[in-house]
């Protein structure tokens, strides 16, 4: 009886061992060491090859850099400004030919060939030009010898006999001061935009008789367009042609002033010159 129990116990323990073995996971097969070795060798070879290529490229790059450093650097040429050009040139008095060339150039792409011919002025349309020796008063005395008589005959409002065109408000004030010995009892008016409205200037011109107008081309054109200033009594148009500002620019060297001047000339001045009513002087 005892022998049968021992046998049953032995059979039960063997059955349990077999069950445990079935539930245990199968062992993973080990990777072959030879394969790992080959992969490592390939990586080392690739790295070595890359380093060799870098070594071959680097010296060439350094050689190019050495060549570049040995070459002298070219200095960029500085563009000359209007001031640079004018500073290197001697002052030259303006002439009717200069004025005519400016008009022709400006209207060359704005007018037909026939219209451009109509813009050409005869020499008789011009007063003698300033030779750079005159003050404004002495120049006006030369070109307007009968000024005293002309100013007495003038009795039309909203018009002037003499129109002086310059580039700025400050220059306008300076020129009016220079007129003292020439104008006598004639009345002069400032015609510029700074601090003065167009409407105010229109009222001043309508209020009384004005003989001389001094101002900028932009404001003078605006007054003509608004019919605050008419050209019926105008006899002399004097351009402040030779004066230069701090940058050595003349009135016609400043783009916006040049455009305003051409607009003014096209606003009845050139027509008056061709009809022999207006004379142009270059001061």
């Amino acid at each position: 009886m005892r022998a049968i129990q021992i046998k049953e116990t032995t059979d039960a323990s063997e059955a349990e061992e077999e069950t445990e073995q079935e539930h245990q996971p199968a062992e993973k097969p080990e990777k072959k060491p030879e394969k790992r070795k080959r992969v490592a060798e390939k990586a080392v070879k690739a790295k070595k090859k890359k380093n060799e290529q870098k070594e071959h490229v680097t010296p060439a790059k350094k050689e190019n850099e050495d060549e570049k450093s040995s070459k002298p650097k070219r200095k960029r040429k500085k563009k000359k400004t209007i001031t640079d050009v004018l500073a290197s040139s001697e002052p030259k008095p303006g002439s009717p030919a200069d004025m005519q060339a400016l008009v022709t150039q400006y209207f060359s792409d704005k007018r037909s060939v026939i219209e451009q011919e109509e813009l050409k002025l005869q020499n008789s349309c011009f007063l003698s030009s300033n030779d750079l020796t005159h003050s404004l008063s002495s120049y006006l005395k030369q070109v307007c010898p009968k000024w005293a008589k002309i100013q007495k005959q003038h009795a039309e409002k909203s018009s002037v006999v003499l129109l002086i065109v310059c580039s700025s408000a400050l220059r306008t004030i300076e020129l009016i001061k220079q007129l003292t010995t020439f104008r006598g009892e004639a009345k002069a008016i400032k015609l510029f935009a700074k601090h003065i409205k167009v409407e105010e200037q229109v009222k001043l011109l309508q209020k009384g008789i004005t003989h001389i107008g001094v101002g900028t081309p932009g404001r003078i054109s605006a007054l003509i367009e608004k019919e605050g200033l008419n050209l019926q009594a105008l006899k002399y148009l004097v351009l402040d042609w030779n004066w230069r500002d701090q940058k050595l620019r003349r009135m016609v060297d400043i783009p916006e002033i040049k455009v305003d001047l051409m607009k003014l000339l096209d606003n009845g001045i050139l027509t008056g010159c061709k009809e022999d009513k207006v004379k142009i002087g270059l001061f």
Side-chain angles (χ1 to χ4, degrees):
M1 185 77 176
R2 184 174 178 86
I4 293 167
Q5 286 177 352
I6 291 167
K7 188 178 181 183
E8 288 176 357
T9 306
T10 304
D11 292 339
S13 61
E14 285 176 359
E16 284 178 5
E17 283 177 6
E18 287 175 4
T19 308
E20 284 176 3
Q21 285 176 0
E22 286 175 4
H23 286 285
Q24 282 180 359
E27 289 183 3
K28 294 180 181 178
E30 291 182 2
K31 290 184 179 178
K32 293 180 180 180
E34 290 181 4
K35 194 173 182 180
R36 288 183 183 178
K37 193 175 180 182
R38 286 176 190 173
V39 171
E41 284 176 359
K42 283 183 181 179
V44 170
K45 285 181 181 178
K47 193 173 181 181
K48 192 176 179 181
K49 190 175 182 181
K50 193 174 182 181
N51 289 336
E52 285 175 358
Q53 287 176 351
K54 281 184 179 179
E55 285 175 5
H56 286 296
V57 173
T58 306
K61 191 176 181 182
K62 284 183 179 178
E63 284 176 10
N64 291 336
E65 286 176 357
D66 292 339
E67 286 177 9
K68 284 180 182 178
S69 61
S70 62
K71 290 180 181 179
K73 291 182 179 180
R74 291 182 181 179
K75 292 183 178 179
R76 289 184 180 180
K77 290 184 179 180
K78 191 178 178 182
K79 289 183 179 180
K80 288 187 176 182
T81 61
I82 294 173
T83 304
D84 296 330
V85 174
L86 294 174
S88 61
S89 61
E90 294 182 5
K92 184 181 177 183
S95 66
D98 295 333
M99 168 80 178
Q100 188 64 66
L102 181 71
V103 172
T104 303
Q105 181 188 11
Y106 181 79
F107 288 106
S108 61
D109 58 344
K110 299 174 180 63
R111 297 284 191 277
S112 65
V113 177
I114 296 171
E115 287 172 332
Q116 287 180 45
E117 286 295 323
E118 292 175 355
L119 294 171
K120 289 183 179 180
L121 301 175
Q122 301 296 324
N123 288 333
S124 58
C125 296
F126 293 92
L127 300 167
S128 61
S129 300
N130 180 20
D131 58 2
L132 304 181
T133 62
H134 286 283
S135 65
L136 181 59
S137 284
S138 66
Y139 174 71
L140 292 174
K141 284 178 180 178
Q142 179 185 328
V143 297
C144 310
K146 298 179 180 179
W147 175 250
K149 184 180 178 181
I150 291 169
Q151 73 171 34
K152 285 179 181 178
Q153 291 176 346
H154 177 58
E156 190 173 341
K157 293 180 180 180
S158 299
S159 186
V160 294
V161 180
L162 170 61
L163 198 53
I164 301 171
V165 183
C166 58
S167 59
S168 67
L170 288 173
R171 182 60 177 165
T172 297
I173 293 167
E174 187 181 336
L175 290 176
I176 287 176
K177 289 178 181 177
Q178 292 182 24
L179 283 171
T180 306
T181 57
F182 167 76
R183 71 180 189 182
E185 296 179 359
K187 184 182 177 182
I189 186 172
K190 296 177 285 188
L191 303 175
F192 54 74
K194 197 172 184 179
H195 309 309
I196 306 173
K197 293 180 180 179
V198 177
E199 292 76 17
E200 291 176 11
Q201 290 172 338
V202 170
K203 287 178 182 178
L204 285 171
L205 287 163
Q206 291 173 345
K207 191 175 181 180
I209 296 168
T210 308
H211 304 86
I212 304 171
V214 186
T216 56
R219 176 47 62 93
I220 294 169
S221 291
L223 287 165
I224 293 171
E225 288 170 5
K226 289 182 177 293
E227 298 182 355
L229 175 68
N230 66 68
L231 305 176
Q232 293 176 6
L234 185 66
K235 292 184 180 295
Y236 305 105
L237 175 76
V238 174
L239 303 179
D240 191 26
W241 188 275
N242 299 305
W243 182 78
R244 298 175 187 266
D245 63 10
Q246 292 180 345
K247 295 181 180 179
L248 301 178
R249 299 174 302 177
R250 300 171 302 166
M251 178 172 63
V252 293
D253 294 323
I254 305 170
E256 57 271 22
I257 301 297
K258 181 171 75 173
V259 170
D260 288 341
L261 177 60
M262 294 299 106
K263 185 179 177 182
L264 173 61
L265 294 174
D266 196 32
N267 216 350
I269 301 292
L270 294 176
T271 303
C273 290
K274 292 185 77 69
E275 293 173 356
D276 203 26
K277 292 179 180 178
V278 181
K279 303 284 184 183
I280 298 176
L282 306 180
F283 170 61

